[in-house]
Amino acid sequence: QVQLLESGGGLVQPGGSLRLSCVVSGRASSGLTMAWFRQPPGKDREFVAAVKRSSSMTSYKNSLKGRFTVSRDNAKNSLYLQMNSLESEDTAAYYCAATTGGLITSSLSGEQWYDYWGQGTQVTVSS
């Protein structure tokens, strides 16, 4: 059974940075397509970024390109999200997700394709 554990959330001032981590257990992360989603207060969960299992190709929510960077370290069985120039609108619970499926690019943003989810880590951007 795949388990995902996120960490790295917290309170940060606008303009600051945070790096989220997601550690995978139960399976080698190299065999997983992985993603970050977030759920702002009172809103639906939304796609943030993903990285394919085979090619490590990345995909981002358009509005986050240039500020957020997703990466993976299969040697550490981990997924990361570097978030820079944070804004109050980035306040949300951030979730790590994974699937053993080989998703096509257009499917990476669909949460219905992910089989495994972490418990989430809270990011609050406020002065």
Side-chain angles (χ1 to χ4, degrees):
Q1 181 73 4
V2 174
Q3 293 186 318
L4 308 175
L5 181 63
E6 305 98 332
S7 63
L11 174 64
V12 62
Q13 291 187 342
S17 297
L18 278 177
R19 188 194 193 207
L20 305 184
S21 299
C22 172
V23 177
V24 179
S25 60
R27 186 184 178 106
S29 64
S30 58
L32 300 170
T33 294
M34 300 191 71
W36 290 99
F37 288 79
R38 69 183 183 182
Q39 187 166 18
K43 296 184 179 180
D44 293 333
R45 190 157 56 187
E46 64 181 11
F47 172 73
V48 173
V51 54
K52 284 189 174 183
R53 67 178 185 182
S54 56
S55 65
S56 290
M57 192 206 78
T58 56
S59 176
Y60 294 91
K61 177 180 171 68
N62 283 338
S63 62
L64 299 179
K65 288 180 181 178
R67 292 198 298 123
F68 287 17
T69 303
V70 63
S71 62
R72 65 193 303 162
D73 185 342
N74 290 331
K76 296 183 177 180
N77 247 26
S78 294
L79 178 74
Y80 305 101
L81 184 68
Q82 178 67 41
M83 306 185 293
N84 298 327
S85 302
L86 284 162
E87 306 167 353
S88 58
E89 290 77 16
D90 296 317
T91 294
Y94 283 73
Y95 297 90
C96 177
T99 177
T100 57
L103 300 181
I104 59 175
T105 302
S106 60
S107 295
L108 289 171
S109 60
E111 63 176 270
Q112 69 269 31
W113 304 116
Y114 293 88
D115 304 307
Y116 308 102
W117 292 83
Q119 293 298 310
T121 185
Q122 179 67 35
V123 172
T124 302
V125 184
S126 176
S127 56

